[in-house]
Amino acid sequence: MKKYIFAGGPAEAGRAQGALDPEYARRELEKRLKQSQDFEDSYFRENMAFMRREFPELVTQMEAYGEAAGIEDFDHTYLLHVYFTAADLDGCSALGIMLEDDGPAMLRTYDTSSIGRVEDFVKDKILIGLPDGRPHGLIGIGERFGVTVGTAINDAGLLVGCASGHRKFNPGANPEHVNLYFTTHLLAQYCSDCGDVRHFLRQYRISGIKGLTGVAVDASGDMVGFELESANIALREPENGMVLETNHWQDPDLQRPSRKADPDWWASASFYNSQNRVQYLACHRDVFEEMRTVSELTDFSFDVHAPGRILQSPETNIGGWFTTHGIFMTSRDRKLRVHRYPLEKERSTEMAYGE
């Protein structure tokens, strides 16, 4: 997996990102423009204005990216960053865990149920470092057609990983909230610890076509699961040093209205696949609680082919999902290790903040 460091302020980093593979970015844009796009849509325009007001550095970085990639219209650059990827095809996980020796850690996965998307998932993802971000520099997993990361570690040792999310039950567009595809990146850039994460999510929430779940873990060992359904938000606290977010609402105040609004989804393979991972953690909780090192977490994740395991494969999980990227992150050394599809325990790429 390729690694890139983009130093400098927002404009300098954005230009370097845009110059990395401009033809790839333009091809991705062409795919999106083949579908009908309404650039005068009220959500699109108002959310862009909101981002310019609240997070001007990120907008500057995107503008520089678009110019360097040869994308003349900033509307098109913004589309690349907020474009919908189907909720029903993504089934990711984020597990925060306190290891006895290695301390705060996370297992984050990118998963899909579409064999046709595997090549895109593997090809799109790159490891990037933004050491001069303010207030926090960060490293994480980004994409070749944008500037943001979807999994991150920052200079304070904060780990952030999202787990997708299924359909919203709130019909509101809420353009004055952060688009869900910016959430991980902004949490890593603006938060030092889980207290900051809780404050940020209560303030900015999310907007976009679907909901979002995820986990944050900080250097002190504090962790929080978040379930964000636009105007609705639930923060889940850890149990015995662990919190897992998958792809359904676990908080009752979100689950009840979702079941009423979309009962068919709650009887689908997507739900049972998601719930199966929750049951996996419950079944093996004693083992996870006794883990001392990230090596033990890795060995168990790869070697125990139990139903619902977090590293997904069609043989062990409902619905034919499989993991394209398994990421193990540790806070103390600000390091991540990525196992890319086809997953092999002995084959991975490492990146540490500051390298």
Side-chain angles (χ1 to χ4, degrees), residues 17-28 65 68-71 144:
Q17 289 175 288
L20 177 66
D21 195 344
E23 291 184 4
Y24 188 92
R26 291 195 296 270
R27 285 198 303 270
E28 288 299 312
Y65 170 90
I71 301 171
R144 293 183 182 274

Side-chain angles (χ1 to χ4, degrees), residues 25-39 44 71-73 75-80 83:
R26 291 195 296 270
R27 285 198 303 270
E28 288 299 312
L29 176 61
E30 289 173 5
K31 291 179 186 177
R32 286 145 177 76
L33 293 177
K34 287 179 180 179
Q35 301 184 30
S36 177
Q37 306 290 347
D38 181 6
F39 291 105
F44 189 84
I71 301 171
E72 297 180 0
D73 192 334
D75 285 0
H76 292 173
T77 300
Y78 201 73
L79 175 70
L80 280 174
Y83 185 79

Side-chain angles (χ1 to χ4, degrees), residues 151-180:
T151 301
I153 305 173
N154 72 11
D155 55 13
L158 181 70
L159 316 177
V160 187
C162 289
S164 190
H166 64 80
R167 297 179 184 90
K168 300 193 316 181
F169 53 82
N170 178 356
N174 301 305
E176 293 287 306
H177 297 170
V178 166
N179 184 279
L180 67 99

